[in-house]
Structure formats: C-alpha cells, structure tokens
Amino acid sequence: MHLLFLNYHLMMTVSVIRPTRLLVLIAVLLIGCTEPIDLANNLGGGQLVVEGSINDVDSVHVVRLSTSSFDGVGENTLGRNARVTITDLASDQAHTLNEVFPGSYETTPWELQGIIGQSYRLDIVLANGQSYASDAVTIPESIPVSNTEVKLLEERGTLDNGTPFVTYAHEVLVDFENSERPQYVRIESQGWIELFVDYGLCDEVLGGFGIPGELSCWQFRETIESNINTATNIGVDTDMYQVSAVVVPFDFRAGYVTELFINSMSLEAFAYWELAKTQLQRNGGIFDPPFPPVVGNVINTDGDAEPVLGYFHAYSQSFIRTCFDRTGIPGMLNIPVLDCLTTCEDFWAPAVFELPFETEGLCPI
C-alpha cells in the first residue's frame, strides 16, 4: 500500500437524524500526534505530504511535512529543513513556524491566534528550493451543540460452536442545532479509562497478606476508535439533528470519560475527508476500482504539475466532555495481577491516580 500520512483522529461518516453508523476503519490522528497512518494512492512514492491546520482555539498550530512511499517504507527526507509560514491574509502578516521535530513545524505559542471569518495561507519552501502554497482557507462559524447523550449498546449472538455471547459498548451522541447555512463537521475524540489492579496479595501496600483491595488508575486513550467521523446538515429539514460521535468498546468496568472536539469545516475540507474515506470502504477484492490520489489544497508554485498529498485545514472548534460509569454492566471485569504495584505508571504508562480535571457535577465517578 502507498502511504499518505494523515495525523488526524478517528473519524466516521454518519448520516443525519439518528443515522446508521458507517464504520470505516482508518487510524487517523490529531495534528501533532506521533503515529502516521496509511492511505493508498496510485501515484507511486516520493510525493510531498502536507498536513496542517489553524483553528480559533489552539495557541500553537502545527504543520507536518513527510514523504509518501510506494511500498510503505521510506525516509522522511523532503520535509526536513524547510521554511514554513502561515500568512494572515487580512493583515498580510506571515508567521514563521519552527521545526521542533524532523518534518514537524509549530508556530510560536500565542503568536498566531486563528479568528473566525478570517482567511489564511500556508507557504512552504523545501530545502531543495521547491515552493508550495495552499489555497486560502477561512475559519468558518462554529456549529452550536445542544446536548449530548450516552447510549448503552448490547449485541447478542452465537459463536460457531453454539455458545451464546453478549457484548456491550457505549455510544456518545451529539445533538446539533440546525441552521439555514450549510454545516460540515468532523468529530475527533479521546478518552480516559479507569482501570483496576487487584492488590489483595500485596502485603507491602496493606501490611497484611491476603487483605483484599484495589488500585485505581486513569489511563489516557489518545484514540478511542479509528474512524473518519464527518456529518452535514444538507438535506435536514428539522431544527435539530443527532450525530454518533464515538463508540466506546467493551473492555473494563468502572469509569470512562470521553473528550470530543467538534470541528466546523468548509465544504472543500468535507469533500477531502469524504474522498479519503472511500479508500477505507474497499473490501480488498480484485474488482475494487483503483485508489484515487488524495490530493488536497496545496500546489507546487514553481509551475511543476507534481501532485501534493494532504490538506491545510481551517476550522472552528468546540469541546465537550462526557463520562459514564460501567460498574453495573455484567461481564466487565477488573484486571487482576499478582505483582505489587504502588503507582499507576508501573503498569499503565501513561496513567495517573487522579484525572487532571474536575468531574464534580459532570458524572458520578
């Protein structure tokens, strides 16, 4: 498979008005994260891959430059030692990004604050002298969120040997207020899962062998599910519409906190993600059509017709945190271990004893 590195979180396509979820397996990570994901293209290897965004919330904006490869392996040589700027087109002021890791560039904290309604352009000059620029992108209005709902999902079935089974999951749903203007949204999610260690055999902690007890830890999950999650109000004639934001899978009992990033984007960005999503809907059959190149809004300004993969996004962002308790769900077990663990990091790095935010009034944890 050919590579296109897209550092965005899990996303999944949904229809409007309580849609049937269309699960599209793709590991998409948020800009600034560390792991690349693979999208195929039929252009061969060696293309420049541009991933970046500006929004109205973050104090630092990130652009990542990498190189596609035909066989899924290769060095990121094109993206290093480049000159990268984001220009505020209202003031015509260019902001230079600093290379913090090979191929990863960031603005100086709080130097550039994205503003809703204003337009921006990404410019790149590679070490080899080749120049690139994005289309002008405008930060759209945010999309009002009315409510969130957590729904318990239950699936029953029978294994091949005739044994019945049941599995559970929690689905987080978001209600959006409709408007006359077109709305295009993608939802990114991350979470915190509460895990337990049975330290009843640990006399170093309790001072007495065999005394039952548990150690509770919260582990950060940068990716809850690997999907492209987009939605639109096109075709909706009601005041509200509901979108499935994320499904938290069956794993362990006790608490779970989801953090949702609601990104309002342009029609062009929405179309880009829809194209990327089609690659993951293929079943791998010999009659699948060829993979289309996921070419975005960045071009070579030196007159070279080379395709540039990736996209420079502009979006407004809102944030929602929800949580739920899973102690009463049958079949969800804690994690017994025999070792004596005195800190969460001993077993679940990165993990903490206490959540780094207040949960009072948010959920019964």
Side-chain angles (χ1 to χ4, degrees):
M1 299 283 279
H2 309 250
L3 293 185
L4 168 57
F5 298 116
L6 298 177
N7 290 337
Y8 290 90
H9 265 169
L10 38 42
M11 305 166 100
M12 118 187 128
T13 295
V14 290
S15 303
V16 292
I17 312 303
R18 292 302 306 277
T20 299
R21 294 183 306 106
L22 180 58
L23 295 179
V24 186
L25 297 179
I26 171 176
V28 183
L29 305 174
L30 182 66
I31 286 290
C33 300
T34 57
E35 298 181 22
I37 71 127
D38 300 349
L39 281 181
N41 72 79
N42 59 7
L43 300 173
Q47 282 77 39
L48 176 66
V49 181
V50 178
E51 313 154 75
S53 68
I54 182 171
N55 62 61
D56 65 325
V57 175
D58 292 335
S59 61
V60 174
H61 308 289
V62 180
V63 173
R64 186 174 185 274
L65 307 180
S66 57
T67 309
S68 68
S69 64
F70 184 85
D71 56 2
V73 296
E75 294 291 331
N76 176 19
T77 55
L78 274 181
R80 298 177 182 176
N81 303 313
R83 186 167 74 249
V84 180
T85 59
I86 296 177
T87 299
D88 180 343
L89 296 180
S91 63
D92 200 30
Q93 181 178 2
H95 300 265
T96 300
L97 282 70
N98 305 305
E99 188 171 14
V100 293
F101 299 105
S104 183
Y105 301 81
E106 296 182 357
T107 57
T108 301
W110 301 112
E111 177 188 331
L112 174 60
Q113 183 69 41
I115 299 175
I116 292 176
Q118 288 194 188
S119 299
Y120 303 86
R121 186 187 68 243
L122 173 68
D123 293 281
I124 302 165
V125 180
L126 298 181
N128 63 12
Q130 290 289 302
S131 300
Y132 303 83
S134 74
D135 297 336
V137 294
T138 303
I139 298 180
E141 296 180 18
S142 60
I143 300 177
V145 176
S146 174
N147 189 36
T148 59
E149 175 187 351
V150 178
K151 179 180 178 182
L152 177 63
L153 305 179
E154 179 181 305
E155 179 182 358
R156 295 182 179 272
T158 304
L159 300 176
D160 292 340
N161 62 4
T163 303
F165 71 89
V166 57
T167 60
Y168 299 93
H170 277 93
E171 181 179 26
V172 182
L173 302 138
V174 179
D175 294 327
F176 290 103
E177 298 178 13
N178 199 0
S179 70
E180 295 183 356
R181 72 176 180 89
Q183 296 175 340
Y184 305 98
V185 64
R186 66 182 177 89
I187 302 176
E188 302 170 289
S189 58
Q190 60 189 30
W192 294 84
I193 180 174
E194 188 178 20
L195 302 173
F196 291 96
V197 171
D198 184 350
Y199 59 79
L201 300 179
C202 179
D203 56 350
E204 295 181 21
V205 174
L206 298 176
F209 184 81
I211 300 177
E214 287 182 331
L215 176 68
S216 174
C217 296
W218 289 93
Q219 183 189 53
F220 178 65
R221 296 268 176 102
E222 188 174 56
T223 300
I224 300 177
E225 63 174 3
S226 299
N227 297 301
I228 294 183
N229 188 351
T230 58
T232 178
N233 68 340
I234 299 301
V236 178
D237 57 3
T238 56
D239 293 337
M240 308 285 297
Y241 61 101
Q242 191 172 71
V243 173
S244 177
V246 65
V247 173
V248 179
F250 171 89
D251 39 30
F252 309 114
R253 68 177 173 85
Y256 201 105
V257 177
T258 62
E259 297 178 329
L260 305 178
F261 300 89
I262 312 297
N263 300 315
S264 175
M265 58 185 178
S266 67
L267 170 62
E268 293 77 14
F270 180 80
Y272 169 82
W273 286 116
E274 291 295 292
L275 176 60
K277 186 173 53 191
T278 61
Q279 293 197 5
L280 287 308
Q281 293 174 336
R282 299 160 187 264
N283 59 19
I286 61 174
F287 299 108
D288 278 351
F291 286 103
V294 188
V295 176
N297 61 348
V298 180
I299 63 170
N300 185 308
T301 57
D302 293 326
D304 193 330
E306 69 165 301
V308 180
L309 308 179
Y311 206 92
F312 179 60
H313 294 272
Y315 55 87
S316 56
Q317 186 179 87
S318 55
F319 176 79
I320 300 173
R321 183 179 285 131
T322 62
C323 59
F324 42 88
D325 187 358
R326 302 180 293 182
T327 54
I329 301 176
M332 285 191 168
L333 304 176
N334 60 338
I335 307 173
V337 296
L338 298 180
D339 294 332
C340 177
L341 303 179
T342 57
T343 67
C344 294
E345 290 79 3
D346 286 342
F347 195 62
W348 286 310
V352 294
F353 281 115
E354 299 292 338
L355 288 169
F357 47 82
E358 292 293 330
T359 59
E360 184 176 357
L362 180 67
C363 58
I365 294 181

